[in-house]
Amino acid sequence: MEIRPFTIAVPQPDVDDLKVRLARTRWPDELPGIGWSRGVSLEFLKELVAYWAGSYDWRAAEARLNEYPQFTTEIDGQRIHFLHVRSGNPDALPLVLTHGYPSAFAEFTTLIEHLRQDFHVVVPSLPGFAFSTPVGEAGWAMGRTARAWIELMRRLGYARYGVHGGDIGAGVSGAVAGLDGEHVVGVHAVTDPNTAAATATFLPGMADRLDPADPVDQLALERMAQFRADGSGYLAIQNTRPQTIGYLLNDSPAGQLGWIAESFERWTDLPYDREQLLTIASLYWFTGSGISAARFLYEQAHSSEWGAPPAVPQGFAVFSADATVRKLINPPAEVHWTEYGRGGHFPAMEAPEMLAADLRVFFGGLK
């Protein structure tokens, strides 16, 4: 039950070891002219690794993260790390922000600055990510995580709160709302056409709901097929053999960076902060959480628990929106629905002002 203050303090030998390993990266060759068609471009990753080893300042990033109050507590046998940024407004609504994959709590630091006047912001690290490690047993998927978040908010003394997330975070938030409708005032999620298609690929019966004769449904089916053919390689590995990829992720920082940087390059539409990406990569590296984060996807792929439909108000912010998203999401008739012409999988990093504005509008009507 104890909630303990937490400060990030990576030992200097670990920082020095990272630089040595980056300098000793054994680079593969690359076929002429393939670019990004078969994975991360060699030129791109070499440049990013050189910046991580040379210009990037972990101690400065660590100090910035430590400006946010951080804590740990044990729930259901698992250490849970979280930020808890209280608003100066006594009437502020508590709001839980849950990150996805491949990300970490640091994704939300810029967004927090836009929210802290209106919300008490709680940002947990998913089990197996960053400082919510180590994971001591199997079974930590979205449902069990949702129950942990409910207990966390109870321990913090919040009787009414909102939940928000994207990717895995959207699933966890929806499960929290489905399990704790007595206390959750609303659930808000972000998505985009590619994320919606990827999610729909794994939802039972989704393809059967779409009519190939309908042009919009046909486009949605094509997006799902494209994801299966060209975008699902990382999931195929992590959903089946996370231990095998874990040896690479835990031993090679260049390998860890390439594994997550591909998603940031392919899944974003607007520019993101390279320093923020490297902070997230550093959190994976210093905590050795590459393998446990990969296992989270395995656990969910082998879980039968996807959560009950929330019985609370729902809101969606859709980035780079097109007509396929609403078909794939299939929201209830009464829903807060906002579409933006730009943005991608990481709107908290790509478009924090737009996302913050939508969160204020949605939850502002629920206080």
Side-chain angles (χ1 to χ4, degrees):
M1 295 291 291
E2 183 183 4
I3 294 176
R4 297 171 291 277
F6 179 81
T7 301
I8 304 172
V10 173
Q12 187 58 41
D14 290 357
V15 178
D16 296 338
D17 176 66
L18 170 60
K19 292 182 179 294
V20 170
R21 287 172 180 263
L22 290 171
R24 290 173 57 86
T25 300
R26 194 173 82 160
W27 294 103
D29 64 358
E30 182 180 78
L31 293 173
I34 65 168
W36 283 79
S37 64
R38 302 189 185 187
V40 179
S41 156
L42 179 61
E43 179 183 7
F44 167 86
L45 193 59
K46 276 189 171 182
E47 190 277 332
L48 193 58
V49 163
Y51 186 87
W52 195 11
S55 300
Y56 176 78
D57 185 348
W58 164 252
R59 290 304 181 199
E62 184 180 68
R64 286 192 296 271
L65 293 176
N66 281 331
E67 291 174 2
Y68 298 95
Q70 298 177 59
F71 305 87
T72 62
T73 191
E74 185 176 305
I75 301 176
D76 192 12
Q78 174 62 42
R79 176 165 113 153
I80 300 297
H81 161 264
F82 62 99
L83 307 186
H84 187 195
V85 182
R86 294 183 183 271
S87 172
N89 177 5
D91 296 324
L93 177 72
L95 177 61
V96 183
L97 307 178
T98 305
H99 65 85
Y101 183 89
S103 194
F105 71 93
E107 174 187 349
F108 292 119
T109 52
T110 304
L111 181 63
I112 289 170
E113 296 306 315
H114 294 286
L115 296 177
R116 62 193 306 166
Q117 295 304 314
D118 301 291
F119 299 94
H120 302 301
V121 184
V122 179
V123 185
S125 295
L126 288 168
F129 290 70
F131 301 104
S132 289
T133 51
V135 177
E137 61 182 1
W140 279 100
M142 292 193 300
R144 190 173 181 181
T145 301
R147 288 188 286 275
W149 277 201
I150 293 168
E151 171 61 17
L152 174 62
M153 295 305 280
R154 188 192 69 78
R155 290 186 190 182
L156 293 175
Y158 291 132
R160 299 176 72 253
Y161 62 96
V163 288
H164 161 82
D167 190 68
I168 293 171
V172 171
S173 298
V176 171
L179 291 167
D180 197 28
E182 180 183 355
H183 301 104
V184 174
V185 301
V187 53
H188 185 277
V190 293
T191 191
D192 61 89
N194 292 327
T195 302
T199 303
T201 303
F202 295 95
L203 294 179
M206 173 58 73
D208 298 335
R209 227 177 16 85
L210 301 174
D211 179 6
D214 180 282
V216 175
D217 287 16
Q218 177 60 38
L219 180 57
L221 289 167
E222 289 173 1
R223 286 190 184 280
M224 293 170 64
Q226 181 65 28
F227 173 76
R228 284 191 294 267
D230 188 52
S232 61
Y234 77 100
L235 274 179
I237 294 174
Q238 293 182 191
N239 287 352
T240 58
R241 296 293 185 270
Q243 189 68 27
T244 300
I245 193 65
Y247 300 111
L248 163 69
L249 301 178
N250 205 60
D251 189 60
S252 169
Q256 173 68 83
L257 180 60
W259 192 249
I260 66 173
E262 178 177 15
S263 300
F264 279 83
E265 282 296 298
R266 285 188 174 275
W267 298 348
T268 51
D269 174 62
L270 297 170
Y272 60 86
D273 187 340
R274 180 168 63 171
E275 296 276 330
Q276 201 167 12
L277 164 61
L278 290 174
T279 295
I280 290 171
S282 298
L283 288 168
Y284 274 87
W285 179 255
F286 289 132
T287 61
S289 57
I291 183 170
S292 52
R295 281 198 298 256
F296 193 104
L297 276 70
Y298 178 95
E299 298 290 352
Q300 188 57 44
H302 292 79
S303 172
S304 59
E305 184 178 15
W306 288 85
V312 301
Q314 297 182 49
F316 292 88
V318 184
F319 292 83
S320 292
D322 68 17
T324 67
V325 178
R326 195 162 190 133
K327 283 291 187 78
L328 293 168
I329 296 296
N330 193 29
E334 296 296 324
V335 66
H336 169 89
W337 188 271
T338 307
E339 295 186 352
Y340 298 99
R342 301 294 305 277
H345 188 74
F346 302 97
M349 294 174 62
E350 299 175 71
E353 292 183 4
M354 288 192 288
L355 177 53
D358 200 65
L359 287 166
R360 283 193 293 269
V361 170
F362 175 65
F363 286 109
L366 303 178
K367 287 185 179 182

